[in-house]
Amino acid sequence: MTLLLKGARPYGEDAVDILVKDGVIAAIGESLSTTADTIDATGLVVLPGLVDLHTHLREPGREDTETVLTGSRAAALGGFTAVHAMANTDPVADTAGVVEQVWRLGNDAGLVDVVPVGAVTVGLGGEQLAELGAMADSAARVRVFSDDGKCVSDPALMRRALEYVKALDGVVAQHAEEPRLPVGAQMPGGARSARLGLTGWPAVAEEAIIARDVLLAEHVGARLHVCHVSTAGSVELIRWAKSRGVQVTAEVTPHHLLLTDAQAEGYDATFKVNPPLRTAEDVAALRAGLADGTIDAVATDHAPHAGEDKECEWSAARPGMLGLEQALSVVVDTMVDTGLLTWREVADRMSVRPAQIGRLAGQGRPIAVGEPANLVLLDPSARAVVDPAALASKSRNSPYAGRELPARVVHTLLRGELSVLDGKVQK
Ligand SMILES: [Zn+2]
């Protein structure tokens, strides 16, 4: 298949024509012509296809809330060409069999590369290491291991996990939450949670685990990735660890870049998430950390939930919110329109670095001749109000409902094939 993208702006720079042939970028130049299909991309910014390190696709187990197919549609519409599917499914992705099942479902959907994450411990139980080597050697080629949703809280087990992943060229992605600190917690600690009558979910529960784990990673000489960093103190700890040469990387979610604990004032459980939305000072520190590269990546923590698990009282609701379809718009709103990131840096934080962390060879590549044609084309001048009913996800728990956000994904290409054309998913 051959396709010519006319007048697109790589990384927001000067307009060029991009010829895509047989899955790769065949030519870049001015006034290219072809007898094949042409797409008028005048004014559109083109970036490498986005890579998400943290997606919950809910299959197997909760296909009523999301499937690999519906999650893949949401991802493609968000400009993603690869997503890491978290392991907390039912059954848990803790064997070669389950990760291969998810990987096959992703291939069948054919819209994005679905990259399974393997559980660190059997059944996410936190007691016995899962078959990390078997998952790494499987067809799914797992390199990212995580008990996300739960913290690997036993330090001896965490050290052994780091030793194993080091040998596999893998990484442990830690959900940093000391389980004995936020008992019964619903909200961050401090005045606001006291006023709302909810127990505190203190920053120290996150920071204590990050401090411990960067020291363990340094001791073992292994790679550590910190999921959904949410506090100013966490950013400081990671900055310190990087300055020591620790092999630590970190991600921040779109919702932690935009929303604060003020959103929880109305007890709308849409805004219940783990880690919780925090203060405006935390949000500012997260943006600064992403801007200076202390935080490597934006990862969605896309977490679909059924209506009955959200339209209930705060304490009974499940934590988590949708993210795939609005992630890029939120980053444009919080980081590009504010002057904190250039388009090249957006490509770095949403494609290049997450692909490196996940060891995905064909993703996060530069827009250059001979490279795989994994691309997203977006209209930076578009603005739209988010309508949850219009989302491709099977669930409706978007924290951005009714909010006007900038930028629209117009086209997405996976290895030269259009997964999204004119804002419409192709499968
Ligand atoms: Zn988590």
Side-chain angles (χ1 to χ4, degrees), residues 54 56 148-150 175 227-228 274-275 301:
H54 192 146
H56 297 278
D148 181 60
K150 291 189 177 159
H175 171 113
C227 295
H228 43 51
N274 184 353
D301 196 4

Side-chain angles (χ1 to χ4, degrees), residues 75 101 123 146 173 184 218 268 300 364 366 419:
Q101 178 192 356
S146 182
E218 180 176 52
D268 177 351
T300 67
S419 56

Side-chain angles (χ1 to χ4, degrees), residues 1-3 20-24 36-37 39 413 415-418:
M1 183 190 167
T2 307
L3 189 65
V20 170
K21 196 176 176 186
D22 300 329
V24 300
D37 289 348
I39 287 179
L413 283 83
R415 286 182 286 280
E417 301 275 339
L418 284 157

Side-chain angles (χ1 to χ4, degrees), residues 98-360:
V98 179
V99 294
E100 285 187 347
Q101 178 192 356
V102 173
W103 177 75
R104 276 198 201 93
L105 288 166
N107 277 353
D108 293 347
L111 289 163
V112 295
D113 288 345
V114 173
V115 185
V117 172
V120 175
T121 67
V122 173
L124 310 179
E127 289 183 352
Q128 188 191 341
L129 278 189
E131 303 166 3
L132 309 189
M135 290 189 275
D137 291 342
S138 74
R141 298 189 70 257
V142 175
R143 291 294 178 274
V144 181
F145 296 90
S146 182
D147 275 3
D148 181 60
K150 291 189 177 159
C151 182
V152 181
S153 61
D154 178 341
L157 197 64
M158 184 63 180
R159 186 177 70 182
R160 280 184 53 218
L162 289 165
E163 286 165 353
Y164 269 87
V165 300
K166 183 184 178 186
L168 302 169
D169 192 31
V171 62
V172 176
Q174 176 71 293
H175 171 113
E177 178 186 1
E178 169 51 64
R180 284 153 293 193
L181 286 172
V183 173
Q186 304 286 343
M187 286 277 293
R192 198 187 303 270
S193 59
R195 195 163 70 248
L196 289 172
L198 303 164
T199 320
W201 191 134
V204 69
E206 175 171 314
E207 293 157 8
I209 291 292
I210 294 174
R212 182 199 78 176
D213 284 357
V214 295
L215 294 174
L216 285 173
E218 180 176 52
H219 177 73
V220 174
R223 290 200 294 139
L224 167 73
H225 179 73
V226 184
C227 295
H228 43 51
V229 168
S230 74
T231 79
S234 297
V235 178
E236 262 184 75
L237 283 163
I238 292 160
R239 193 175 281 126
W240 171 82
K242 285 189 166 185
S243 75
R244 282 173 70 94
V246 178
Q247 297 179 71
V248 58
T249 55
E251 69 188 35
V252 62
T253 69
H255 47 270
H256 287 108
L257 287 172
L258 178 63
L259 308 174
T260 70
D261 54 358
Q263 261 80 31
E265 290 273 2
Y267 291 100
D268 177 351
T270 307
F271 298 102
K272 181 174 174 179
V273 65
N274 184 353
L277 300 174
R278 300 206 189 260
T279 67
E281 292 74 31
D282 291 312
V283 169
L286 294 169
R287 291 183 185 186
L290 185 64
D292 73 17
T294 300
I295 298 175
D296 300 81
V298 175
T300 67
D301 196 4
H302 177 82
H305 284 299
E308 67 264 25
D309 291 325
K310 277 296 192 183
E311 289 147 23
C312 54
E313 60 179 287
W314 183 278
S315 61
R318 285 177 190 250
M321 35 182 74
L322 301 183
L324 285 169
E325 292 175 71
Q326 270 69 49
L328 185 55
S329 286
V330 172
V331 169
V332 172
D333 190 39
T334 58
M335 302 299 295
V336 178
D337 289 353
T338 53
L340 290 167
L341 288 183
T342 63
W343 289 112
R344 231 173 238 282
E345 289 165 334
V346 171
D348 181 69
R349 309 297 195 273
M350 297 189 80
S351 178
V352 178
R353 286 212 229 180
Q356 286 168 352
I357 292 164
R359 296 291 192 255
L360 305 182

